[in-house]
Amino acid sequence: MNSKPEHSIHLENLGALVPPKEFLLDNSEQELIAACKAGKRVAQKRIYELFSSKMVFVCRRYTNDMEQARDFMHDGFIKVFLNISKFRGDSSLETWITRIMINNSITSIKKEVRKGIKVNIDDVKLSESETFDYELERKQPISARQVIDALDSLPIGYRTVLSLYILDGYTHKEIGSELGISEGTSKSQLAKGKRLLAKTLKDKYQ
């Protein structure tokens, strides 16, 4: 009979736990982290409650399928709880969790992204500081929902690089390392992605 490892994390079971009063309101981040490192399931549940609603939308940036985003988030939290002992407090807990969510999402789609990126990097002549004018003559406000819909319509390479660079603050060097592409390819995907996003928004909403 197969037995589950002692360190297994099953998020579906966390919802059945009723956290004690001290975990409900004013716990400091340090107390929650210490309790989580000690294997306290109620602390895991509280961290999940605090960050899951935001993290699902972090994962959503890297897929246009909400169910897949939830899967990415679920797997990401398992990695969070299995690796919480490695958290040293060099950043906020939210920043650390966000990085794990992004890394997990990128790992899940990396092959698809690399397959979708077809660029002749010898033609890339873009500098890190180069900017582009994407001003739209807005006849009506463009909502966040419309921007997300436009992002979803982009090829996966453009969408992923745009999300990493603009939304999550990665450098082209970091993007190249994450996706296994050159910095030049990352810059090219960003530039083309910006142009196509602006054109999509203009065509659909102007």
Side-chain angles (χ1 to χ4, degrees), residues 38-118:
K40 304 277 188 187
R41 297 284 296 281
V42 289
Q44 293 174 354
K45 181 179 186 293
R46 183 56 179 153
I47 288 173
Y48 185 84
E49 289 174 340
L50 286 171
F51 298 112
S52 60
S53 60
K54 182 171 184 177
M55 293 306 149
V56 74
F57 286 103
V58 170
C59 296
R60 175 65 176 78
R61 297 170 190 167
Y62 299 99
T63 174
N64 53 15
D65 185 296
M66 194 62 180
E67 286 305 311
Q68 189 175 50
R70 291 191 181 98
D71 288 341
F72 290 171
M73 180 194 70
H74 185 280
D75 292 343
F77 270 111
I78 289 174
K79 292 178 180 178
V80 165
F81 297 139
L82 290 177
N83 291 281
I84 191 70
S85 62
K86 299 177 183 177
F87 179 70
R88 301 300 180 212
D90 297 330
S91 63
S92 69
L93 181 61
E94 181 177 336
T95 298
W96 185 74
I97 292 175
T98 299
R99 192 83 180 195
I100 289 176
M101 293 293 166
I102 295 169
N103 289 343
N104 182 66
S105 299
I106 292 300
T107 297
S108 300
I109 65 171
K110 184 180 295 185
K111 288 183 180 179
E112 185 182 357
V113 172
R114 292 183 65 180
K115 184 177 179 181
I117 294 176
K118 298 179 181 179

Side-chain angles (χ1 to χ4, degrees), residues 106 110 113-114 117 160-161 164 174-181:
I106 292 300
K110 184 180 295 185
V113 172
R114 292 183 65 180
I117 294 176
T160 303
V161 172
L164 284 169
E174 290 171 328
I175 293 171
S177 177
E178 287 286 343
L179 298 179
I181 61 177

Side-chain angles (χ1 to χ4, degrees), residues 166-198:
I166 295 175
L167 300 179
D168 290 316
Y170 279 56
T171 66
H172 287 297
K173 183 177 181 179
E174 290 171 328
I175 293 171
S177 177
E178 287 286 343
L179 298 179
I181 61 177
S182 72
E183 290 183 55
T185 299
S186 177
K187 292 175 183 179
S188 176
Q189 292 290 303
L190 178 68
K192 293 178 180 180
K194 282 182 175 179
R195 292 189 182 105
L196 185 55
L197 178 61

